[in-house]
Amino acid sequence: MCSAWSASSITRGFSKALSPTYALDFLVNHFGHGVLALAAVVLAVTGAEALYADMGHFGRRSITRGWLLLVFPACVLSYLGQGALILQDPSNIGSPFFLLVPGWGRLPMVLLATAATVIASQAVITGAYSVTAQAAQLGYLPRLRVAHTSRPSGARSTCRGSTGC
């Protein structure tokens, strides 16, 4: 909601933010800054990898619905709101996500963001184990002993090398 309010205050050029041609132009004309901006894309790839890990738990249909109806629109709105906030006052570039929130809501937002980070990191760890186990089964990695700590679903696992350490 904070992003919607911020984004709605700047309407001129607002739709340009969604055009890939402007992103390509930025990359070509500001290569150094463009490469740094592309580093942020790594976070999206990490999120996609965590999404892949969750697909085994929730199913493709639930993940697809959640992504298309909730996550994607929320991310676009958040990024556009942050951009609008920075366009209004360039001094907000230090922490636009948290500066979108009114002063009274910053501590709860920090706590929520911290909890989301912990959950996401656990999803990435689970996904890494899942991909490692699959790669070992396909013969791309040496044999690994995979110990499932959750027997019914096999959701929790640890990988140990062939030496057992």
Side-chain angles (χ1 to χ4, degrees), residues 59-138:
R60 180 178 181 196
R61 187 174 180 186
S62 298
I63 295 291
T64 302
R65 275 191 193 162
W67 175 255
L68 292 177
L69 300 176
L70 180 69
V71 176
F72 182 70
C75 283
V76 168
L77 191 59
S78 177
Y79 295 146
L80 292 177
Q82 291 174 49
L85 182 71
I86 292 169
L87 288 174
Q88 284 177 341
D89 184 5
S91 68
N92 290 328
I93 200 162
S95 185
F97 178 76
F98 293 108
L99 291 174
L100 280 172
V101 180
W104 59 266
R106 287 204 184 119
L107 180 61
M109 183 58 78
V110 168
L111 296 174
L112 181 64
T114 302
T117 302
V118 170
I119 292 167
S121 68
Q122 291 301 311
V124 169
I125 291 168
T126 301
Y129 280 125
S130 175
V131 169
T132 302
Q134 291 174 19
Q137 287 176 348
L138 293 171

Side-chain angles (χ1 to χ4, degrees), residues 40-55 63 67 71 75 120-121 123-124 127:
V41 173
V42 172
L43 295 175
V45 172
T46 303
E49 192 273 332
L51 186 68
Y52 169 76
D54 289 339
M55 201 167 301
I63 295 291
W67 175 255
V71 176
C75 283
S121 68
V124 169

